[in-house]
Amino acid sequence: MRKLTGAAFVSLDGVIQAPGGPTEDRTGDFDQGGWVFGIGDDVINPVLGELFKPPYALLLGRRTYDIFAAYWPFVEGEMADMGGALSAADKYVVTHGNQQLGWANSYRVNSIAAIRTLKESNGPDLLIQGSSTLYPPLLEAGLIDELVLMTFPVILGTGKRIFNDGTPSVSMRLLEHQVGEKGVIVTRWAPSGPIPTVEHPHPSTSAAEAERQRRMNEGTW
């Protein structure tokens, strides 16, 4: 059984789009790409070093795969070793299309059932990068074992979010946290079942509350 970890750079309002550069992903006229490197922090590199310690395999959405495949196989200089490591790693691309996956060691998966089968197989643990569309269905299916969120002290106001309207309700357990000198907060979370619910300890019985409830039910509040 492989462990499945999702790791993401996140703004305070949950945006994960284009953290690395202005031209990374302009979908939806997003014009604030590169917000991670404008801040940086001392806590980030040790976390990334642990996440990308071989062996690992990547689980990617198709657009994140396209971004990676156009950059990492060709990168030079101080990032060349990272590019070589990513090229050597297995990459599982979640897509319903039939486009060519030309980057070495890339494989197509087309369903949550296929990801479940992959997770149950033998091999390196799986790591999600980017790929905002993967989180809701994987959480719904109970396939994510851990989330590593590197939350930056910025509010972007727009962009693709890690948890959108299709994300299921789930309770999370905090495993670890760190705070960097520049305010980046690194948290590790594990899903821990349904959200516990309780009755309101002191419900209002006023006529005003009854009227508010009536208007809310009618959609006029």
Side-chain angles (χ1 to χ4, degrees), residues 15-74:
V15 175
I16 66 172
Q17 186 171 354
T23 61
E24 183 179 316
D25 183 0
R26 293 174 174 165
T27 304
D29 295 325
F30 187 74
D31 61 358
Q32 300 184 77
W35 46 273
V36 159
F37 293 103
I39 298 173
D41 210 323
D42 58 307
V43 298
I44 299 172
N45 284 342
V47 173
L48 295 179
E50 186 65 27
L51 287 169
F52 287 98
K53 182 184 297 182
Y56 59 86
L58 296 178
L59 181 65
L60 305 172
R62 193 271 300 169
R63 287 186 176 180
T64 298
Y65 173 82
D66 286 349
I67 293 168
F68 277 31
Y71 179 78
W72 286 112
F74 311 102

Side-chain angles (χ1 to χ4, degrees), residues 94 113 119 124 138 180 186-187 204 217:
V94 184
K119 191 174 184 298
L138 290 175
V186 179
T187 49
S204 174
N217 292 335

Side-chain angles (χ1 to χ4, degrees), residues 59-62 92-96 107 109-111 115 134:
L59 181 65
L60 305 172
R62 193 271 300 169
Y92 298 95
V93 186
V94 184
T95 177
H96 297 292
Y107 309 95
V109 289
N110 59 11
S111 67
I115 297 172
L134 296 187

